Structures are given as structure tokens and as C-alpha cells.
Amino acid sequence: MLPDHSAKLHQQGRRSTMNAISLKTEDLKAKDVIIVVMGPTGSGKSSFVQAATGHEGIIGHNLRSYTTEIGFVELTRPEHCDADIVFVDTPGFDDTSDVQILEMIADWLKKTYRQNVTLSGILYFHRISDNRMAATPLKNVRMFEKLCGEDALSKVILTTTMWDEVDEELGEHREQELRTHFWDAFISQGSTTKRFKNTPESAWGIVAGFLEASNQRFATELQQELVDLQKDLPDTRAGQEFYNTFSQLAKQRQDILVKILNAMKHEHDENILEALRAEYEAL
Ligand SMILES: Nc1nc2c(ncn2[C@@H]2O[C@H](COP(=O)(O)OP(=O)(O)O)[C@@H](O)[C@H]2O)c(=O)[nH]1
Ligand SMILES: [Mg+2]
């Protein structure tokens, strides 16, 4: 049985201007079954929440490809389990220079943990249609791993999407490759992989285990570091991973700027100079 589709959409964010919204982070209860959806932009997170809840809210407006705030869809007493289920849709932390996204997610995790609201499951999304693991998703997966910490990894389901866009055999091959080369640290700590086929049945099949074990709650390592150990975000393991990547990127850009400046000194062709100036400005 699928739950009724009377899901309520709630959004909360940095610059929240929502008015008729009743559920905020503060309203989450310790007994709620909280399933957090994470992963890069365009990996199918909001589509999953929509398939599970029937609620179009999160991807309905202009947010389809770029969810910029943390959104909740709460299902009240569905058939599956006797607590309320809350899906938490997060923006993708895919641009490694976007520190605000990480801060937003960290703030939310901190706030909920302080309220004794712990999690029931985390879904991490990945498009199986991508033919290789690009550098950015790879960095993000490393940061995500540190955000979870060893203990929480057994509660992570690495969810692959866009199966309709690949040949089944190729998809299986990629899935195997992901498991051995990129997700090995997750798998060895008990994470599982599942395929989302973009239907409500598939969505509920993926979270079924979380609902069956809905009395088992957990916190991520980032939450423990921020709250129990009172660390600042840059001092946490996820923060360090992030800021290291960030400073590497800044360094790379700095080097390119120096090269452009040097090239400009020795260049006399006005057209090339103009192009170099534009490049310099853009960087
Ligand atoms: N072909 C295909 N497209 C999908 C699937 N899941 C999501 N999409 C599309 O991929 C785009 C990004 O999905 P969205 O859920 O907004 O990703 P998010 O940024 O992770 O929330 C949207 O245009 C979706 O309609 C899928 O399984 N197959
Ligand atoms: Mg989204």
C-alpha cells in the first residue's frame, strides 16, 4: 500500500520568506522518522521525494533543477509505520566553491541534533547515466563520507537513478565499478546500493528497511563533532575535506591568474590582449 498523497510541503532556508508554513525544523519531533536525501544537483533527489510522497512542491516551481533550500515533505501516519515520516530534500553540494550549501546542511544537522531529533536513514543519489565519475562528484562523495562518519555509513543507501537512460547491462557494470572503486569505503562500513526506477513503488521499496527499523536512530559524525565536541565547521572532518578542496581550487585559480598576467606583459596583439583581459576578469 502506498501512503495517501496528502503530503504537506514545508520549506525552510537561509532566506525563508514562506508565510503559511507550519512545519519548521523546530517542529520536528524525536519520534519522527527522518530520511535525508543528499547528493549532487540533478541526481534525482527531488524526483525521488516526489515519487515517494506524490508531492510536486519541491520540484514543481522553478526549483526543479536547483533546490536552493532545505525542504521537508511530511507524511502523516502512512500505512508503513506508526510515526510521521519526514523526507528532507537538500540542495546539492556539487559546486565545491559553494560553502553556503555545506553550512546550510551543517546548521540544519546541528539544530536537529540539539533538539534530540536523530535520523532514520540517508539516501545519497548518483546518476547511473553518467559515464564516468567526474572530479567534483568524487570530492563530494568523500566529503559526504566524512559528514556521515563510520557509524552512520551503515544507514546510507547509495541510490542510483536514471536507469531508463542506460542499457541495463552497462548500468550494472557501472554500478559494480562504483561499488569497487568509489564507494568501497561506504560498502565496507555497511552501506548498501539500490536502484531507483522513478516510481512510487521503487521509492518505497528503497526506504522499506528504514521504516522497518524505524526505532533505530542515529546521528552523523558531523552532528557529534558540531554539538558534542563543539567544533566549528572548518575543524570537522567534513569541513576539512571541503576547505582543503576549496583552497586547492583557489590556489589553482591564483596560478592561472599569474600565468595570464605574464602572458599579457609579453603580448602586443590587441585582440589577444583583449581576450586575455576578459579571461582575467572572468577568473
Ligand atoms: N530520465 C530520467 N530523468 C529523471 C529521473 N529522475 C529524475 N529525472 C529528471 O532529472 C532532472 C533532475 O531531477 P531532480 O529530481 O530535480 O534532481 P535533484 O537536483 O537531485 O533534486 C529532472 O529534470 C528530472 O525530471 C529518471 O529516473 N530518469
Ligand atoms: Mg532538487
Side-chain angles (χ1 to χ4, degrees):
M1 266 293 280
L2 296 173
D4 74 80
H5 283 173
S6 58
K8 291 177 277 173
L9 172 77
H10 308 280
Q11 287 186 324
Q12 177 267 345
R14 291 172 287 181
R15 291 181 294 269
S16 182
T17 52
M18 310 296 288
N19 31 33
I21 295 306
S22 55
L23 189 101
K24 304 194 203 71
T25 298
E26 298 85 85
D27 301 326
L28 295 175
K29 301 178 291 299
K31 75 183 210 354
D32 289 342
V33 170
I34 299 191
I35 298 173
V36 182
V37 168
M38 287 189 186
T41 301
S43 55
K45 298 180 297 294
S46 300
S47 303
F48 178 93
V49 175
Q50 182 188 2
T53 63
H55 201 293
E56 284 197 35
I58 292 176
I59 55 173
H61 319 289
N62 53 347
L63 301 178
R64 171 166 277 268
S65 60
Y66 191 56
T67 308
T68 52
E69 298 184 338
I70 292 177
F72 306 103
V73 179
E74 180 192 42
L75 291 170
T76 306
R77 303 202 179 285
E79 312 291 313
H80 297 270
C81 99
D82 62 9
D84 291 348
I85 301 175
V86 180
F87 287 95
V88 182
D89 191 10
T90 64
F93 38 77
D94 32 11
D95 181 352
T96 32
S97 61
D98 195 350
V99 67
Q100 285 166 321
I101 304 283
L102 175 64
E103 282 174 350
M104 192 198 309
I105 292 172
D107 277 349
W108 185 81
L109 286 169
K110 188 165 148 181
K111 202 165 171 185
T112 48
Y113 188 54
R114 282 206 177 121
Q115 281 167 231
N116 288 323
V117 171
T118 44
L119 312 177
S120 291
I122 303 179
L123 302 176
Y124 189 81
F125 283 74
H126 179 84
R127 281 193 301 254
I128 203 71
S129 53
D130 288 354
N131 65 3
R132 62 189 190 92
M133 186 64 126
T136 307
L138 182 57
K139 282 176 193 143
N140 290 332
V141 108
R142 292 218 184 99
M143 190 185 73
F144 175 68
E145 182 197 325
K146 300 202 160 73
L147 178 156
C148 293
E150 278 186 13
D151 295 344
L153 287 180
S154 64
K155 291 297 206 164
V156 169
I157 297 178
L158 301 157
T159 312
T160 46
T161 57
M162 320 278 167
W163 280 89
D164 55 323
E165 290 191 357
V166 287
D167 178 81
E168 182 92 9
E169 211 175 310
L170 177 62
E172 269 167 28
H173 174 74
R174 280 183 190 159
E175 188 181 46
Q176 199 46 50
E177 215 168 56
L178 286 164
R179 290 177 60 96
T180 27
H181 297 302
F182 299 105
W183 293 341
D184 43 333
F186 290 81
I187 306 290
S188 64
Q189 294 297 332
S191 303
T192 50
T193 54
K194 294 219 166 114
R195 302 174 188 175
F196 173 50
K197 299 294 180 74
N198 215 2
T199 64
E201 291 74 15
S202 171
W204 287 98
I206 288 169
V207 296
F210 293 152
L211 305 184
E212 276 159 26
S214 64
N215 57 338
Q216 292 173 23
R217 306 301 169 89
F218 67 95
T220 62
E221 185 168 333
L222 182 60
Q223 291 176 302
Q224 292 162 343
E225 289 178 294
L226 291 171
V227 178
D228 300 336
L229 304 177
Q230 301 191 346
K231 287 188 184 179
D232 292 327
L233 182 58
D235 300 327
T236 61
R237 292 212 312 140
Q240 278 172 357
E241 179 79 29
F242 184 88
Y243 290 103
N244 284 345
T245 309
F246 188 48
S247 49
Q248 274 166 17
L249 273 178
K251 167 99 182 54
Q252 279 166 10
R253 285 194 185 182
Q254 196 67 42
D255 293 347
I256 297 172
L257 285 174
V258 171
K259 280 188 187 148
I260 295 177
L261 276 179
N262 281 335
M264 282 165 78
K265 275 187 206 149
H266 303 107
E267 185 56 64
H268 302 292
D269 183 320
E270 198 44 51
N271 289 333
I272 299 178
L273 268 172
E274 191 49 47
L276 286 170
R277 260 184 229 119
E279 182 87 25
Y280 187 86
E281 290 293 319
L283 273 169

